[in-house]
Amino acid sequence: MVEEGSTLLRRMEISVAEAEKRTGKNTVNMQEIFTVYLIETRPIDAITEGHNPAPDSLWRRYSEFEILRNYLLVTYPFIVVPPLPEKRAEFVWHKLSADNMDPDFVERRRVGLENFLLRVASHSVLSNDKILYHFLTEADSRIKALSATFRVKNPDKRFTEMKLYNRVADRLYGVYKVHGNYGRVFSEWSALEKEMGDGLQSAGHHMDAYAASVDDMLEEEEHYADQLKEYLFYAEALRAVCRKHELTQYELETASSDLISKKQQREELATGMVRTFSFKGMTNKLFGQETPEQREAKLSLLEEQIVQGEETVTEKTVECEEYVKGAWVDMQRFKEQKDRDLREALIGYAVMQISMCKKGIQVWTNAKDCFHKM
């Protein structure tokens, strides 16, 4: 995850060590329960020199992480800013409620927030931002002051759920949990069939053991789901980079069109030949031509506007070229990071599924042996 060059992660050890529930009053003076996260930092130099100082620490709420990320989005529009973990629990499995205070959800969010800080601190540009350093090391209200300026007004909610993954996970959960029903059926059946009772009872035990292992498997699936969902949430940052490029390009094209129009007006005024139909041309024919003094004054004004227009086009051209250059470099960095992370996550997910399938084959092989003995 560490990038080349002098990044903050090369100079500082960063972790989100723990989460804690607290109570307090919100902005409308009402009591609320919220979660805070402990950020710990320690200089790398002190560790390499053999010292082991106690880490500096401070508490931050999730909303403060949001403010930091919105600040980075606005300040560095050409960079694919890493996403935050989801704000609310989206899984609906039996053991994980939608309660934001659920310990499992809070732990997953803690890991996600730490991953966000590590990604930002390993970025060659973002990691050198003073506000980021302040966020990690100084516990005062300055970061909150950014909220009025950098809070997103119209967040896109289409990317807050990974519906496809949830459908697949729910389906797998149902397939594996049905073995619990097999175990109950075989156990009840064994009470009715005296000669086959032992074999059915043993097969039921194997099914129960397999069904019980599903919960552990789902916890591991959640880990891979979080890795995949992180890149789903990256979509918002990618769209922001593209929107900024479109805006910059549009401003350049508008300035260029305006400059062309001004030059055409100058040529028509200087030669007295109007190439296209215009209201001005009609009025000149009806009420007579302008005096030389009026024409010279308009020519002088157009010359000034053309000079300003050329300067604007030059500025917009440079701005657009620099933006494209910076954005392309960061897009390539993001692509390499994405390919590497997704490859590792998908390979791990495949290995987990292979292991689970092997366990299922073994369960049914054992059940078959039980049936043979009946």
Side-chain angles (χ1 to χ4, degrees), residues 261-291:
S261 176
K262 289 289 191 299
K263 287 183 176 179
Q264 183 177 333
Q265 292 177 38
R266 181 184 63 182
E267 183 180 352
E268 292 174 353
L269 195 60
T271 61
M273 297 179 59
V274 180
R275 297 183 178 181
T276 58
F277 173 80
S278 67
F279 180 75
K280 177 183 176 183
M282 289 295 296
T283 57
N284 286 340
K285 289 182 179 180
L286 291 173
F287 303 107
Q289 296 290 330
E290 298 172 324
T291 65

Side-chain angles (χ1 to χ4, degrees), residues 99-111:
D99 181 8
N100 289 352
M101 295 298 172
D102 180 276
D104 290 337
F105 173 73
V106 171
E107 172 60 18
R108 286 172 51 221
R109 183 195 272 181
R110 181 197 66 76
V111 173

Side-chain angles (χ1 to χ4, degrees), residues 282-345:
M282 289 295 296
T283 57
N284 286 340
K285 289 182 179 180
L286 291 173
F287 303 107
Q289 296 290 330
E290 298 172 324
T291 65
E293 291 78 10
Q294 291 175 324
R295 187 180 299 110
E296 286 298 325
K298 288 188 176 182
L299 277 172
S300 177
L301 178 60
L302 279 173
E303 289 291 351
E304 292 179 5
Q305 292 176 341
I306 288 172
V307 171
Q308 293 176 356
E310 289 175 339
E311 291 176 354
T312 301
V313 169
T314 300
E315 291 174 0
K316 293 297 180 183
T317 300
V318 172
E319 180 183 348
C320 192
E321 290 175 351
E322 289 180 350
Y323 182 85
V324 170
K325 181 180 178 181
W328 182 250
V329 169
D330 200 65
M331 289 284 241
Q332 292 299 111
R333 177 204 63 79
F334 169 75
K335 183 178 183 301
E336 293 174 2
Q337 169 195 301
K338 171 181 65 67
D339 293 347
R340 181 175 61 251
D341 291 347
L342 290 183
R343 185 185 304 111
E344 293 177 0

Side-chain angles (χ1 to χ4, degrees), residues 166-349:
N166 283 346
R167 286 200 296 270
V168 172
D170 286 339
R171 192 176 299 121
L172 286 172
Y173 175 74
V175 168
Y176 292 134
K177 269 302 185 183
V178 77
H179 288 77
N181 293 330
Y182 284 137
R184 187 179 68 254
V185 169
F186 288 153
S187 295
E188 294 175 354
W189 194 2
S190 68
L192 302 175
E193 299 287 349
K194 293 184 178 180
E195 294 182 359
M196 298 189 298
D198 291 342
L200 291 171
Q201 188 74 33
S202 297
H205 289 324
H206 289 299
M207 297 298 170
D208 288 338
Y210 186 58
S213 68
V214 173
D215 289 340
D216 292 335
M217 185 274 296
L218 286 179
E219 289 184 1
E220 191 172 355
E221 278 214 346
E222 288 171 10
H223 167 71
Y224 292 113
D226 287 339
Q227 292 180 325
L228 297 176
K229 285 163 68 176
E230 179 189 16
Y231 278 94
L232 183 70
F233 299 149
Y234 260 117
E236 182 264 335
L238 290 168
R239 287 202 311 276
V241 172
C242 294
R243 283 197 301 267
K244 176 62 177 178
H245 171 255
E246 291 172 355
L247 176 61
T248 306
Q249 184 67 31
Y250 174 77
E251 291 175 345
L252 172 60
E253 292 173 358
T254 301
S256 299
S257 298
D258 186 62
L259 178 60
I260 292 172
S261 176
K262 289 289 191 299
K263 287 183 176 179
Q264 183 177 333
Q265 292 177 38
R266 181 184 63 182
E267 183 180 352
E268 292 174 353
L269 195 60
T271 61
M273 297 179 59
V274 180
R275 297 183 178 181
T276 58
F277 173 80
S278 67
F279 180 75
K280 177 183 176 183
M282 289 295 296
T283 57
N284 286 340
K285 289 182 179 180
L286 291 173
F287 303 107
Q289 296 290 330
E290 298 172 324
T291 65
E293 291 78 10
Q294 291 175 324
R295 187 180 299 110
E296 286 298 325
K298 288 188 176 182
L299 277 172
S300 177
L301 178 60
L302 279 173
E303 289 291 351
E304 292 179 5
Q305 292 176 341
I306 288 172
V307 171
Q308 293 176 356
E310 289 175 339
E311 291 176 354
T312 301
V313 169
T314 300
E315 291 174 0
K316 293 297 180 183
T317 300
V318 172
E319 180 183 348
C320 192
E321 290 175 351
E322 289 180 350
Y323 182 85
V324 170
K325 181 180 178 181
W328 182 250
V329 169
D330 200 65
M331 289 284 241
Q332 292 299 111
R333 177 204 63 79
F334 169 75
K335 183 178 183 301
E336 293 174 2
Q337 169 195 301
K338 171 181 65 67
D339 293 347
R340 181 175 61 251
D341 291 347
L342 290 183
R343 185 185 304 111
E344 293 177 0
L346 292 173
I347 289 174
Y349 186 78

